[in-house]
Amino acid sequence: MGGVFNFEGRSSRRQFWRVFLPALSWLLTFPLMRWLQGEGAKLGVIDLLGAIAWAICGYLILAGLARRLHDIGRSARPLWIILVVVSVSDAAGQSLDLTIKNGIFFASVFLVTVIAAVVGLIPGQTGDNAYGVDPISRPPVNA
């Protein structure tokens, strides 16, 4: 799985789910821990780890979605729209109380998860396509 940080090329459904599910679980762990602490809790190590986890896992998920879209013969450009929507909704929620902000966050994660489920279940194109070699017919170079 050396190419998990790469937006180029293709990923099989198996390769995608092996990265997506652990990344999603880590992505949700820290906000849930923060939510359990409550509104009055001071910022601390959990928030720092959560920010790092959000950045790494978000990147892994977007890269995996891009490679899956390539595998089914689609451009990954719509991912930028998703990224902008999630970022804007998070920025808009900064002035809101913690309950509403968490709701916006979890709605955004739910949207990405639904998109990932659809993209992750569609079979890829057989043979090479414009985005690279078929990940099933040939073993990945850095896997």
Side-chain angles (χ1 to χ4, degrees), residues 21-31 50 53-54 57:
L21 292 176
L24 181 65
S25 64
W26 274 102
L27 190 71
L28 293 174
T29 298
F30 292 100
W54 173 257
C57 293

Side-chain angles (χ1 to χ4, degrees), residues 44 46 48-49 53 65 70 75-76 89-90 95 102 105 112 117 123 129 136 142:
I46 289 177
L48 176 62
L49 292 175
L65 282 171
H70 291 166
S75 171
S89 66
D90 186 52
S95 61
N102 283 338
F105 170 79
V112 171
N129 69 13
I136 294 176
N142 293 324

Side-chain angles (χ1 to χ4, degrees), residues 110-135:
F110 178 76
L111 173 68
V112 171
T113 303
V114 168
I115 292 168
V118 171
V119 171
L121 294 174
I122 297 173
Q125 292 181 332
T126 304
D128 299 353
N129 69 13
Y131 299 102
V133 298
D134 187 345

Side-chain angles (χ1 to χ4, degrees), residues 31-93:
L32 284 172
M33 291 171 69
R34 180 73 175 137
W35 179 71
L36 291 172
Q37 285 181 334
E39 284 187 53
K42 295 181 181 179
L43 295 178
V45 174
I46 289 177
D47 298 294
L48 176 62
L49 292 175
I52 293 168
W54 173 257
I56 293 170
C57 293
Y59 188 89
L60 284 171
I61 288 170
L62 288 175
L65 282 171
R67 290 190 313 277
R68 274 303 299 149
L69 285 168
H70 291 166
D71 192 43
I72 61 175
R74 303 282 186 223
S75 171
R77 288 191 179 130
L79 290 178
W80 290 109
I81 296 169
I82 295 169
L83 183 61
V84 168
V85 167
V86 170
S87 299
V88 167
S89 66
D90 186 52

